[in-house]
Amino acid sequence: MISFDFDYYQAETAEEAVEKYLELVDDNKNVSYFNGGTEIVTYARKDKMNFDAVIDIKNIPECTVLKEANDEITIGASISLNKVVEKNYFPLLSESSKVIADHTTRNQITIGGNITGRLPFKEALLPLLVAEAKVKTYGQEGFKTRPINEVFDKRMKLAKEEILLQIIIDKEKADLPYYQNRKVKQSDTDYPIMHMAALKDNGEIKFALSSLCAFPFRNKEIENILNDDTITREEKIDQTIDNFPVPINSNLRGGKEYKEMIFRNSLNDCLDQLRGEN
Amino acid sequence: MKTYTNNQEITLNVNGESYNVVVKPNETLLNVIREKIEMTGPKPGCENGDCGACTVLVDEVPIKSCMALAVDMEDKAITTVEGLKNTDIQEAFIDKEGYQCGYCTSGFIVKAYSLLEQYEKPDEDTVEEWLSSNLCRCTGYEGIERAVNKVIENR
Amino acid sequence: MKDNFIGQPIKRSDGKDKTNGNQKYLNDYKISGLLHSAILTSPHAHAKIIDIDIEEAQKSKGVKKVITGKFHPEAMGLYLGDKPPLAVDKVRHYGEPVAAVIAKNKEDAQKAVKKIKVEYEKLDPVSSPKEAMKEESPVLHENLDDYTHIPDVYPNPGTNIANHTKIRKGDYEKAFEEADFQVEESFEFNPSDHVAMEPRVSIAQIKSNDDVIIHSATQAPFVVKELLSFNFDIPAGKINVIAPPIGGGFGGKAGLQLESLAYILSKAVDGQPVKVINTREDDMVSSPGHIGLEADVKIASDKDGKITGMDLQYYFDAGAYADYAVNVSRAAAISATGPYRVENLRSDSYCMYTNHPFATAFRGFGHIELAYVIERSIDILAKKMDMDPVEFRLKNAIQKGDTTPTQSLMGDNTGDLKACINKTADMINWDEGAYIKKDENKIVAKGMGLLWKSPAMPTSTDAGAILTFNDDGSVNLHNAIVEIGQGTKTGLAQIVADKLEMPIEKVHVTSDVDTQTAPHDWATAASRSLMMAGRAAISACEDAMEQLKETASQVLRCPVEDLTVADEKVYITDEPEISLDVKDLCLGYVYENGNAIGGQVIGRGNYIARRLSNMDPDTGEGRPDLEWTLGAEAVEIELDLNDYSYEVTKAASTMDVGNVINPDLARGQVSGAMAMGLSFARNEGFVFNSLEQVENNVLRDYKILRYGEHPEYFVDFVETPQGDGPFGARGLGEQGVIGMPGALSNAVSRAAGVEINELPLIPELIYKNVKNKEGDSND
């Protein structure tokens, strides 16, 4: 059970939510936005998180959109992972989403929560990075729509009062050939030790990775290496690893040597499938 | 905007009936159902979203009630195992040894019921996807598998 | 007309309640005036407690009392009194309870417990049993000499040895000198957990007349009663323990668990009812779990493949306190060799204190641990000799006429282990090959693991049964078997219905166990409930039948010997039309003129273990074993050579259980046990950091077997009757776990082409072993 008290607000609009947020912060209160709640409730129970108030954003209209129109896919931040998978507008996103946690929990985990939460795996983020999705937010500076690759750097760099409202993906990108692979310590229902997502966009590989290192990433240097026709496969894999922003880490689920082996095999597989070379 | 601070009365719709209960925002749906509405079918196994013993349906969607806040659940139709009476899956669990100690059974019944409402004849992969949400330590899952298969076969 | 219920798949009676949410477990009950508690536990594995400041906590809203170890500093234990309910002066494991808050509601208790400030002085932790053996390691229990303990336990004061069981049989040195082949292997695995779905919970209250009432999720209400009585000086008649159906036990709810803590908390608030309930995190590390092991195994054989000797050194990781572990290590010594004919044996089984969460009984009780190391070693030896591992086992399987490690003779009740081996080999299709290359990346491999077990229980273990009648002639069987999921109560109903030759629907078996009204029973553990309570039930039936005949003989004016009780009637055997209905006799018989004779029938039955004896302290010789269940298990896996992940596709088990009382329940017990053994070997075990703190005591990180990961189960039984078993039956609740770690490890080692002697068998471990081997061969 959660053993500290907090207030709960249910916002009906983005403006309302931000206004309340700022009002509470002004009053020296610790505030958290509340979406699916799986992270907040479990963290709060163990006192890993503490707040004076939560603002529930699930009723904000923008957050509940799930549609495909005008060559754009719009997914509200409060859409559950299962709904994302069910509608399957973006197959790679479905693949990356349906392996997160377990089926029941995916009815509660929202795509917004997975991307902006504290857990470092952010598996639903990877397809969005490689598909160059946009994120629509609302904060003190009003509504903003920006490429996700500009907002994400180790984590989603939003202003503290800023709410992630929607994710917008080009239909064209969503239909591109893709590769997805996820590895675990032993049980499939577990945090991963590696999650890889890649697209082939106009012959070029777009590549994103999480769980292998301390945070997810997609970077240009690696993509240049992967798309470089002048070096061997072995060199590609070696140089990719050299260009990780941080080294592969050892943790409860896997040691770095094993994780590296897994990664090499998967990257090999990815390149086979997307670039068809040997 | 709807505001909940400290102890206040909310209305929860559980198994088709309305219940007025006094809750604080920090109370989980699981605890409110068990302590205040006094339905002890959903069980605490971990209170961390890891075991599924607390599974209930909210607007027909299975969720883990230990990770949901009661104040978030007004205006929703909540179904606990107590709301399922004489269903095929419950009978099949009895017939096919789908339970032993029974502690995980409430959660499994709700989850399996929901699966079988959504799919007429779910394939093995779908059954596995859904039911791997719940843990059982006694049966090794064989009895549960047989119970679900029995319902599917009889359709 | 005789209805035979033995061997029938009778449905359990608790099905409806368990599937419609109405089954109540202890935490589901509302008790008026109940107070709640929150327990503060130690973040350190080994530290001195310098100071505990409870002042702020005491002032916290809703708090009734805050207590520390000082409130009741006396150490207690099952066999060895080494642990106070709350730590005193020192903490010896991560998660050890240090202080407790009692409050009106749970939230107030939790809020207050966060305000307790403890000052620790960290000490170097002892990280493994072999480390604990070293002279330079800190001695964790400096007062080991002063602890009271039962005679059968041999602690070594000044060391970390809580118990040392010695087995000496024949001349093992000679056997090794003359051996044609031998293997020498070492194995290890960390402590792990039961993960019963229901966390532990106990409620204690002390009434104004000093009666102590304990409600607890326990497998052993009489053990709780006896230990609380002994440790807190409560007269036996003033303490009553009530055990409702529980959500899984697996040994973790046997012994004395939260009850002692609940009792002292109730005492602290003048006897008001106080509930102590574990969070999952605490259930895993504050309360005890499954023992760990480091083992050195040597097996010698002659050129024909006959085992000539074994040298077995077992170092159990019992953790910080002895609890059941001193008996687990002893049980492992009694069965040290596994079910093989071994005439020359040296075995030393050490129960070692370490700074790990401590161990209690766990399904298999020493046998699952020893079976793992023995079965691995057998496979390695067979490979060395180029012998098929199944052939090797058939050749050395223990049988009638052989002796156990304690030189106890395997008599007429010995099961047919060879038949079990052959059946299991068949079910797993051993003949098609134990190693099959499916394609470049996939290997299909099989592994076998034999099992045996005898209940490790006191020589005076007993069970009782009382049979009373209702006025419709139906019967109530009063018993003290706790419903832990195994459905033994249904088995007992079958036994009674069969004995009395009456419809099974009219046999009502009591559900909750109340020590004040139930007949004494040792505990629902060790797979002996059906056997012993079954014998007691038969005895009670016979007693009842005698009483019925006594009354009937008067009415029918015939000798008692001329009567038969069956089909709810008492009749003259050779003139069956001359009869009386049981319902007219069971509460006394009333003549037409009103005279009443006979009185109510109360059937009394008991059963005490037959001819068990203590063991010789130097050689172990003795007869501690009631009955042996023997069996053979095997698994088939499919290994992916790319990432060393694997699937367990099949699991097979054949056990000789004497007589299968209820095939559905039996299958459920065996497949459930197989799943547990597989889960343990495949993916369980605490992960410790360098400070010996546990890193994975949440189910998010400690993964047990899930739906979809389970194999196809093949279960069969052989029925060589157990002479003293009810209807010839032997215990089978635990045995299914025992062969699994060995079988899985053998299959994985075979598939990977490298001997893996560690658990859990995760892909990364396989990878490391394969790489090491390749590294070796490159040298």
Side-chain angles (χ1 to χ4, degrees), chain A residues 63-124:
Chain A
C63 292
T64 64
V65 170
L66 180 57
K67 70 170 192 231
E68 192 185 280
N70 304 326
D71 294 325
E72 257 184 7
I73 299 161
T74 307
I75 307 177
S78 299
I79 298 295
S80 75
L81 292 181
N82 269 347
K83 286 214 181 81
V84 169
V85 173
E86 207 182 317
K87 266 303 202 293
N88 198 26
Y89 289 137
F90 180 5
L92 174 58
L93 180 60
S94 302
E95 292 296 308
S96 284
S97 301
K98 74 183 198 205
V99 288
I100 296 172
D102 60 68
H103 187 268
T104 305
T105 311
R106 290 197 292 281
N107 283 327
Q108 293 167 271
I109 300 177
T110 61
I111 191 164
N114 186 254
I115 295 168
T116 60
R118 289 183 176 202
L119 288 167
F121 310 101
K122 303 196 187 321
E123 300 178 75

Side-chain angles (χ1 to χ4, degrees), chain A residues 29 42 53 57 94-95 99 117 191 202 217 261 263 276:
Chain A
K29 298 268 200 299
T42 53
I57 61 172
S94 302
E95 292 296 308
V99 288
Y191 296 137
N202 244 340
F217 59 86
M261 187 271 287
F263 173 73

Side-chain angles (χ1 to χ4, degrees), chain B residues 35 48 50 101 140-141 145, chain C residues 25 30 667 700 705 710 713:
Chain B
E35 309 284 322
N48 204 47
D50 300 327
C101 82
Y141 304 107
E145 189 177 1
Chain C
Y25 303 84
K30 276 209 131 126
R667 190 190 170 95
R700 188 82 51 109
L705 200 75
H710 64 287
Y713 298 103

Side-chain angles (χ1 to χ4, degrees), chain A residues 16-45:
Chain A
E16 210 181 27
V18 170
E19 196 187 310
K20 192 59 164 178
Y21 187 101
L22 294 169
E23 179 195 309
L24 291 167
V25 165
D26 246 2
D27 208 8
N28 272 320
K29 298 268 200 299
N30 224 322
V31 193
S32 226
Y33 285 122
F34 187 91
N35 210 346
T38 58
E39 204 175 274
I40 287 190
V41 173
T42 53
Y43 273 50
R45 177 182 73 90

